[in-house]
Coordinates of all heavy atoms in Angstrom, one line a residue:
N283 N 231.4 175.3 98.9 CA 231.9 174.9 97.6 C 232.3 173.4 97.6 O 232.9 172.9 98.6 CB 233.2 175.7 97.3 CG 233.6 175.7 95.8 OD1 232.8 175.4 95.0 ND2 234.8 176.1 95.5
D284 N 232.0 172.7 96.5 CA 232.4 171.3 96.4 C 231.8 170.4 97.5 O 232.5 169.5 98.0 CB 233.9 171.2 96.3 CG 234.5 171.9 95.2 OD1 233.8 172.0 94.1 OD2 235.6 172.5 95.3
I285 N 230.6 170.6 97.9 CA 230.0 169.8 98.9 C 228.8 169.0 98.3 O 227.8 169.6 98.1 CB 229.6 170.6 100.1 CG1 230.7 171.3 100.7 CG2 228.9 169.7 101.2 CD1 231.8 170.4 101.2
W286 N 229.0 167.7 98.1 CA 227.9 166.9 97.7 C 227.0 167.5 96.7 O 227.4 168.3 95.8 CB 227.1 166.3 98.8 CG 227.9 165.9 100.0 CD1 229.0 165.1 100.0 CD2 227.8 166.3 101.4 NE1 229.5 164.9 101.2 CE2 228.8 165.6 102.1 CE3 226.9 167.1 102.0 CZ2 228.9 165.7 103.5 CZ3 227.0 167.2 103.4 CH2 228.0 166.5 104.1
E287 N 225.7 167.3 96.8 CA 224.7 168.0 96.1 C 224.6 169.4 96.8 O 224.9 169.5 98.0 CB 223.3 167.3 96.2 CG 223.4 165.9 95.5 CD 222.4 165.0 95.9 OE1 221.7 165.3 97.0 OE2 222.2 163.9 95.3
Y288 N 224.2 170.4 96.1 CA 224.3 171.7 96.7 C 223.6 171.8 98.0 O 222.4 171.3 98.1 CB 223.9 172.8 95.7 CG 222.5 172.9 95.3 CD1 221.5 173.5 96.1 CD2 222.1 172.3 94.1 CE1 220.2 173.5 95.6 CE2 220.8 172.4 93.6 CZ 219.9 173.0 94.4 OH 218.6 173.1 94.0
H289 N 224.2 172.3 99.0 CA 223.8 172.1 100.4 C 223.7 173.5 101.0 O 224.7 174.2 101.2 CB 224.9 171.3 101.1 CG 224.4 170.5 102.3 ND1 223.8 171.0 103.4 CD2 224.4 169.2 102.5 CE1 223.4 170.1 104.2 NE2 223.8 168.9 103.7
N290 N 222.5 173.9 101.3 CA 222.2 175.3 101.8 C 222.2 175.3 103.3 O 221.6 174.4 103.9 CB 220.9 175.8 101.3 CG 220.9 176.1 99.8 OD1 221.9 176.4 99.2 ND2 219.7 175.9 99.2
T291 N 222.9 176.2 103.9 CA 223.0 176.4 105.3 C 222.5 177.8 105.6 O 223.0 178.8 105.1 CB 224.4 176.2 105.9 OG1 224.9 174.9 105.5 CG2 224.4 176.3 107.4
S292 N 221.6 177.9 106.5 CA 221.1 179.2 107.0 C 221.8 179.6 108.3 O 222.0 178.8 109.1 CB 219.6 179.3 107.1 OG 219.2 178.4 108.2
Y293 N 222.1 180.9 108.4 CA 222.9 181.5 109.5 C 222.1 182.7 109.9 O 222.1 183.7 109.2 CB 224.3 181.8 109.0 CG 225.2 182.4 110.0 CD1 226.2 181.6 110.6 CD2 225.2 183.7 110.3 CE1 227.1 182.1 111.5 CE2 226.1 184.3 111.2 CZ 227.1 183.5 111.8 OH 228.0 184.0 112.6
N294 N 221.5 182.6 111.1 CA 220.6 183.7 111.5 C 221.0 184.2 112.9 O 221.1 183.4 113.9 CB 219.1 183.3 111.5 CG 218.6 183.1 110.1 OD1 218.3 184.0 109.4 ND2 218.5 181.8 109.7
L295 N 221.2 185.5 113.0 CA 221.6 186.1 114.3 C 220.5 186.9 114.8 O 219.8 187.7 114.2 CB 222.8 187.1 114.0 CG 223.3 187.9 115.2 CD1 224.0 187.0 116.2 CD2 224.3 188.9 114.7
G296 N 220.1 186.6 116.1 CA 219.1 187.3 116.8 C 219.7 188.2 117.8 O 220.4 187.7 118.8
L297 N 219.5 189.5 117.7 CA 220.1 190.5 118.6 C 219.0 191.1 119.5 O 218.0 191.6 119.0 CB 220.8 191.6 117.8 CG 222.0 191.2 116.9 CD1 222.3 192.3 116.0 CD2 223.2 190.8 117.8
G298 N 219.3 191.0 120.8 CA 218.4 191.7 121.7 C 219.1 192.0 123.0 O 220.2 191.5 123.3
K299 N 218.6 192.9 123.8 CA 219.2 193.4 125.0 C 219.1 192.2 126.0 O 218.1 191.8 126.4 CB 218.5 194.6 125.5 CG 218.8 195.8 124.7 CD 218.4 197.1 125.4 CE 218.9 198.3 124.6 NZ 218.5 199.6 125.3
G300 N 220.3 191.7 126.4 CA 220.4 190.7 127.4 C 220.2 189.3 126.8 O 220.3 188.3 127.5
H301 N 219.9 189.2 125.5 CA 219.7 187.8 124.9 C 220.1 187.9 123.4 O 219.3 188.4 122.6 CB 218.3 187.4 125.1 CG 218.0 186.0 124.6 ND1 216.7 185.6 124.3 CD2 218.8 185.0 124.3 CE1 216.8 184.3 123.8 NE2 218.1 184.0 123.9
T302 N 221.2 187.3 123.1 CA 221.6 187.2 121.7 C 221.7 185.7 121.4 O 222.3 184.9 122.2 CB 222.9 187.9 121.5 OG1 222.7 189.3 121.7 CG2 223.4 187.7 120.0
H303 N 221.3 185.3 120.2 CA 221.4 183.9 119.8 C 221.8 183.8 118.4 O 221.6 184.7 117.6 CB 220.1 183.1 120.1 CG 219.0 183.5 119.2 ND1 218.0 184.4 119.5 CD2 218.7 183.0 117.9 CE1 217.2 184.5 118.5 NE2 217.5 183.7 117.5
L304 N 222.3 182.6 118.0 CA 222.7 182.3 116.7 C 222.1 181.0 116.3 O 222.2 180.0 117.0 CB 224.2 182.2 116.6 CG 224.9 182.0 115.2 CD1 224.6 183.2 114.3 CD2 226.4 181.9 115.4
D305 N 221.4 180.9 115.2 CA 220.8 179.7 114.7 C 221.4 179.3 113.4 O 221.6 180.1 112.4 CB 219.3 179.9 114.4 CG 218.5 179.9 115.7 OD1 218.6 179.0 116.4 OD2 217.7 180.9 115.9
L306 N 221.8 178.0 113.3 CA 222.3 177.4 112.0 C 221.5 176.3 111.7 O 221.1 175.4 112.5 CB 223.8 177.0 112.1 CG 224.8 178.1 112.2 CD1 225.1 178.4 113.7 CD2 226.1 177.7 111.5
K307 N 221.1 176.2 110.4 CA 220.2 175.1 110.0 C 220.5 174.7 108.6 O 220.7 175.5 107.7 CB 218.7 175.6 110.1 CG 217.7 174.5 109.8 CD 216.3 175.0 110.1 CE 215.9 176.2 109.3 NZ 214.5 176.5 109.5
S308 N 220.5 173.4 108.4 CA 220.6 172.8 107.0 C 219.6 171.6 107.0 O 219.5 170.8 107.9 CB 222.0 172.3 106.7 OG 222.0 171.8 105.4
K309 N 218.8 171.6 105.9 CA 217.8 170.5 105.8 C 217.9 169.9 104.4 O 217.0 169.2 104.0 CB 216.4 171.1 106.0 CG 216.0 172.2 105.1 CD 214.6 172.7 105.4 CE 214.2 173.9 104.5 NZ 212.9 174.4 104.8
E310 N 219.0 170.0 103.7 CA 219.1 169.4 102.4 C 220.3 168.4 102.4 O 221.2 168.5 103.3 CB 219.4 170.5 101.4 CG 218.2 171.5 101.2 CD 218.5 172.5 100.1 OE1 218.6 172.0 99.0 OE2 218.6 173.7 100.4
G311 N 220.3 167.6 101.4 CA 221.4 166.7 101.3 C 221.4 165.6 102.3 O 220.4 165.3 103.0
D312 N 222.6 164.9 102.5 CA 222.7 163.8 103.4 C 222.8 164.2 104.8 O 222.6 163.3 105.7 CB 224.0 163.0 103.0 CG 224.0 162.4 101.6 OD1 222.8 162.2 101.1 OD2 225.0 162.2 101.0
L313 N 223.1 165.4 105.1 CA 223.3 165.9 106.5 C 222.3 167.0 106.8 O 222.4 168.1 106.3 CB 224.8 166.4 106.7 CG 225.1 166.8 108.1 CD1 225.0 165.7 109.1 CD2 226.5 167.5 108.1
A314 N 221.4 166.7 107.7 CA 220.4 167.7 108.1 C 220.7 168.0 109.6 O 220.9 167.1 110.4 CB 219.0 167.1 108.0
F315 N 220.8 169.2 109.9 CA 221.1 169.6 111.3 C 220.4 170.9 111.7 O 220.1 171.7 110.8 CB 222.6 169.6 111.6 CG 223.3 170.7 110.8 CD1 223.4 172.0 111.3 CD2 223.9 170.4 109.6 CE1 224.1 173.0 110.6 CE2 224.6 171.4 108.9 CZ 224.7 172.6 109.4
R316 N 220.3 171.1 112.9 CA 219.8 172.5 113.4 C 220.6 172.7 114.7 O 220.6 171.9 115.6 CB 218.3 172.5 113.6 CG 217.8 173.8 114.1 CD 216.3 173.9 114.1 NE 215.8 175.2 114.6 CZ 214.6 175.5 114.5 NH1 213.6 174.7 114.1 NH2 214.2 176.7 114.9
M317 N 221.1 173.9 114.9 CA 221.8 174.3 116.1 C 221.3 175.7 116.6 O 221.0 176.6 115.8 CB 223.3 174.5 115.8 CG 224.0 173.2 115.4 SD 225.6 173.5 114.6 CE 226.3 174.7 115.7
H318 N 221.0 175.8 117.8 CA 220.6 177.0 118.5 C 221.6 177.4 119.5 O 221.8 176.6 120.5 CB 219.2 176.9 119.1 CG 218.7 178.1 119.7 ND1 218.1 179.2 119.0 CD2 218.8 178.5 121.0 CE1 217.8 180.1 119.9 NE2 218.2 179.8 121.1
L319 N 222.4 178.5 119.3 CA 223.4 178.8 120.2 C 223.1 180.1 121.0 O 222.8 181.1 120.3 CB 224.7 179.1 119.4 CG 225.1 178.0 118.3 CD1 226.3 178.5 117.6 CD2 225.3 176.7 119.0
N320 N 223.0 180.0 122.3 CA 222.8 181.2 123.1 C 224.2 181.8 123.4 O 225.1 181.1 123.9 CB 222.2 180.9 124.4 CG 220.7 180.5 124.2 OD1 220.0 181.1 123.4 ND2 220.3 179.4 124.8
I321 N 224.4 183.0 123.0 CA 225.8 183.6 123.1 C 225.7 184.9 123.8 O 224.6 185.6 123.8 CB 226.4 183.8 121.7 CG1 225.6 184.8 120.9 CG2 226.7 182.5 121.0 CD1 226.3 185.1 119.5
G322 N 226.8 185.3 124.4 CA 226.9 186.6 125.1 C 227.7 187.6 124.2 O 228.6 187.2 123.5
L323 N 227.4 188.8 124.3 CA 228.2 189.9 123.7 C 228.8 190.8 124.7 O 228.1 191.2 125.7 CB 227.3 190.7 122.7 CG 226.8 190.0 121.5 CD1 225.9 191.0 120.7 CD2 227.9 189.5 120.6
P324 N 230.1 191.1 124.6 CA 231.0 190.6 123.6 C 231.2 189.1 123.6 O 231.3 188.5 124.7 CB 232.3 191.4 123.9 CG 231.9 192.5 124.8 CD 230.7 192.0 125.6

């Protein structure tokens, strides 16, 4: 809400046995970024 020109961020969770990851990506507006996070569960 209230961020520059409307700025879409994708949030994708990959679930697998022994390997879970989280991807965040935005490619619009003034700030473009991509993050790939390897996380453990719990």
Side-chain angles (χ1 to χ4, degrees):
N283 199 18
D284 299 328
I285 301 298
W286 316 311
E287 297 158 349
Y288 65 84
H289 209 299
N290 292 330
T291 305
S292 63
Y293 180 101
N294 291 285
L295 177 66
L297 296 169
K299 290 192 172 181
H301 182 202
T302 296
H303 71 266
L304 186 62
D305 285 306
L306 289 94
K307 180 172 64 175
S308 179
K309 57 183 180 180
E310 297 183 61
D312 297 334
L313 180 64
F315 64 85
R316 180 172 183 173
M317 296 164 46
H318 180 83
L319 315 175
N320 292 314
I321 60 178
L323 292 177

